[in-house]
Amino acid sequence: TNLGVLPVLTATVDVAICAGDSSLVAGAFQSGGGAYFDTLTSANGCDSVVTTNLSVLSVLTSTVDVAICDGDSFFVGGAFQNIAGAYFDTLASANGCDSIVTTNLSVLSVLSSTVDVAICDGDSFFVGGAFQNAAGFYFDTLTSANGCDSVVTTNLSVLPVVTSTVDV
């Protein structure tokens, strides 16, 4: 009798999946990391053991706070946005898994105020970028503390010179 011992074939496979995904190993879909074993029949009729080392790659997340001025827009969530809120972008990270960026968009208001100024006829007042001596509304756009526009409206009135005649 010649007895031949056939070898058990073994193989090790390293598999990486993204968090939330699964891979078919050990007869079922697995989503947790670890070592899984499959016993199969090889070509020589003996067992063949495949060890699968399953690793789960994390989904990367980050949060960004962005402030824009009223009237401006910011490209986020696949389009230009001008309304405050939370927007989400899903990108591919370096490990091939999802990278989710949450953008908290806030819209800063444009500040405005109105100032009433009265001058005497013949005087002038610096407003609207120049010295003015005619009554009317003048607008100055400045940068406010939040970095947005601040519009000052000046209502300039010119007071007449009062004259009187006295007969003595």
Side-chain angles (χ1 to χ4, degrees):
T1 302
N2 288 328
L3 181 62
V5 178
L6 301 174
V8 173
L9 300 176
T10 61
T12 301
V13 177
D14 294 321
V15 175
I17 61 172
C18 298
D21 290 344
S22 62
S23 181
L24 181 62
V25 291
F29 283 97
Q30 308 295 336
S31 59
Y36 296 92
F37 304 95
D38 282 303
T39 303
L40 310 168
T41 303
S42 68
N44 64 15
C46 297
D47 286 346
S48 171
V49 179
V50 177
T51 303
T52 302
N53 294 317
L54 186 63
S55 60
V56 179
L57 304 174
S58 62
V59 172
L60 302 175
T61 60
S62 62
T63 301
V64 178
D65 295 321
V66 175
I68 61 172
C69 298
D70 190 22
D72 289 344
S73 63
F74 187 78
F75 191 83
V76 64
F80 283 98
Q81 309 294 339
N82 59 9
I83 298 173
Y87 296 90
F88 304 94
D89 286 299
T90 302
L91 311 167
S93 67
N95 66 11
C97 295
D98 288 344
S99 171
I100 300 171
V101 178
T102 302
T103 302
N104 295 318
L105 184 64
S106 59
V107 179
L108 305 175
S109 62
V110 172
L111 303 176
S112 63
S113 63
T114 301
V115 178
D116 294 321
V117 175
I119 61 173
C120 296
D121 190 24
D123 288 344
S124 64
F125 187 79
F126 191 82
V127 66
F131 283 98
Q132 308 295 336
N133 58 12
F137 289 95
Y138 297 92
F139 304 94
D140 288 298
T141 302
L142 310 168
T143 301
S144 67
N146 67 10
C148 296
D149 287 346
S150 172
V151 179
V152 178
T153 303
T154 303
N155 179 12
L156 184 63
S157 58
V158 178
L159 303 174
V161 174
V162 178
T163 60
S164 61
T165 305
V166 178
D167 292 328
V168 178

